[in-house]
Amino acid sequence: MKKSVLACLFATAMLSLSAHAADKIRMGVVVKVGGNAWFNAMEAGIKSEAAKRGIDAWQVGPTSADPALQVRAIEDLIAQKVDVIGVVPNDARVLEPVLKRAHDAGIKVIVHESPDQKYADWDFEMVDATQHGINHMVALAQCMKEKGDYAVYVGSLTVPLHQKWADAAINYQKEHYPNMHLVGDKFGVGESLDDSIRTTNDLMSKDANLRGILAIGSQGPIGAGRAVLNRGKTDDICVFGPFSPGQGASLVKAGAIKGGFIWNPMVAGEVFVRIAEKLEKGEKITDGMTIEGMGKVKVDEATRTILGNETESLDKANLPKLVKMGL
């Protein structure tokens, strides 16, 4: 009789644990590329926040910044029947069909750095895209003394957010700094260290009047800075852009990168998890609400965009603090 009671209690406990596990939110976040400092920090944020909230969340980092690899990763998450898929897209349009499949399967989709992304429940931006671009241009122009040629790198010509940052910067230059001149068009090399180095070397060889590079993309400022340092041009060419503090600290110290502005990628990883939990709990995201890590947000219901306003300066004074944080 006792054995029967114990068996029933054990079975009940196991059923309870099984139900609890089934109720646990499961989320996979597909980033642009795995293994670099920026997305390593984002992964740390995802893991720490997920553990804190009792959510099963993980990051998937493709071996290269190839949209086709992101499609495969998302297809795998759909097959796993996760509750939420997060994405930092390499190519917004290429991802549309697979995100639609996720949407049709009842999976919620959160994107980051991809305004106007089709088939996403929400896109969140840690800072307003236009202002972010303008902030970089103002800093670049001051360094260049508002004259000379400059080039613009983006992570890819198919990343919408990078286009918005770059276009905002370029438009601001045309309106406020008439003695500065954009070299060619935007170069889609900012997610590749080798391509950024190669492009910078080519530009320095061809244009004696090159005075600045606005490099957007996780590897753009690093590659441009290395090329400028190797050519002994740190006093002649100003490199600005967002980069991982730990990766760029030595280049800033050497004067090869003059600065830039970022949000904390670790916090962006945390925000992925926080928004996922809100969606799964049916909580509304409204204009003026506060989301931890983003501050008081602007919410555009029409475009399904959440805008924060939290950035850090990547200058010599502020950089050591960010490096200490492990960024």
Side-chain angles (χ1 to χ4, degrees):
M1 184 71 177
K2 287 182 180 179
K3 285 183 179 179
S4 176
V5 171
L6 286 172
C8 288
L9 288 173
F10 179 75
T12 302
M14 291 304 293
L15 285 170
S16 177
L17 285 171
S18 176
H20 179 72
D23 290 338
K24 199 172 186 180
I25 297 169
R26 298 176 67 243
M27 177 188 193
V29 179
V30 180
V31 298
K32 292 180 181 180
V33 63
N36 70 34
W38 183 271
F39 290 117
N40 287 346
M42 183 173 286
E43 183 174 26
I46 291 167
K47 287 181 175 179
S48 65
E49 190 66 14
K52 188 188 301 181
R53 294 176 181 269
I55 291 172
D56 185 9
W58 63 94
Q59 179 171 294
V60 181
T63 54
S64 67
D66 182 351
L69 295 179
Q70 286 194 313
V71 170
R72 289 178 204 165
I74 294 168
E75 286 173 339
D76 183 55
L77 291 173
I78 294 171
Q80 293 183 52
K81 298 182 179 179
V82 298
D83 300 297
V84 184
I85 292 175
V87 193
V88 187
N90 278 311
D91 189 318
R93 289 188 179 180
V94 169
L95 295 188
E96 285 177 13
V98 73
L99 293 184
K100 184 179 186 301
R101 289 199 289 278
H103 187 267
D104 291 345
I107 298 170
K108 294 178 176 63
V109 176
I110 303 167
V111 297
H112 176 47
E113 298 185 18
S114 196
D116 305 317
Q117 177 70 60
K118 286 188 177 180
Y119 307 110
D121 290 272
W122 288 102
D123 166 65
F124 75 90
E125 306 298 336
M126 301 298 284
V127 63
D128 176 75
T130 299
Q131 191 59 52
H132 198 53
I134 290 172
N135 290 344
H136 278 93
M137 178 50 65
V138 169
L140 179 67
Q142 288 175 350
C143 183
M144 290 175 59
K145 297 182 173 56
E146 301 183 13
K147 60 184 179 182
D149 294 346
Y150 74 98
V152 174
Y153 301 170
V154 291
S156 164
L157 298 176
T158 56
V159 177
L161 186 62
H162 287 193
Q163 302 301 313
K164 287 197 172 188
W165 291 346
D167 289 343
I170 293 165
N171 291 337
Y172 194 83
Q173 174 267 306
K174 289 178 178 177
E175 185 177 349
H176 293 87
Y177 310 119
N179 294 322
M180 290 172 60
H181 305 284
L182 178 65
V183 177
D185 203 348
K186 292 166 283 191
F187 296 87
V189 298
E191 292 296 346
S192 168
L193 181 63
D194 291 340
D195 289 345
S196 296
I197 291 173
R198 189 179 306 113
T199 301
T200 306
N201 282 329
D202 288 345
L203 287 169
M204 289 189 293
S205 296
K206 294 174 182 176
D207 188 352
N209 196 41
L210 185 70
R211 294 291 177 266
I213 297 172
L214 173 54
I216 296 167
S218 63
Q219 299 303 302
I222 306 300
R226 286 189 186 179
V228 167
L229 182 63
N230 289 340
R231 287 282 187 96
K233 295 278 189 180
T234 56
D235 293 332
D236 303 316
I237 298 175
C238 302
V239 176
F240 276 87
F243 57 88
S244 173
Q247 192 180 20
S250 63
L251 292 168
V252 172
K253 187 175 181 179
I257 299 176
K258 298 298 190 287
F261 304 93
I262 63 163
W263 54 86
N264 188 323
M266 190 178 295
V267 175
E270 294 169 0
V271 170
F272 258 124
V273 176
R274 289 170 191 147
I275 293 175
E277 185 180 51
K278 287 182 182 297
L279 294 185
E280 281 298 295
K281 288 184 174 180
E283 296 178 11
K284 288 187 176 181
I285 296 174
T286 57
D287 189 56
M289 74 183 296
T290 297
I291 296 178
E292 185 183 352
M294 295 185 76
K296 189 176 180 179
V297 299
K298 294 179 182 177
V299 174
D300 188 331
E301 285 279 355
T303 62
R304 306 298 289 173
T305 302
I306 308 167
L307 294 174
N309 192 24
E310 299 284 332
T311 59
E312 297 271 5
S313 177
L314 295 170
D315 55 27
K316 285 184 179 179
N318 195 49
L319 204 57
K321 179 195 82 173
L322 301 177
V323 173
K324 277 187 178 180
M325 290 170 62
L327 297 178

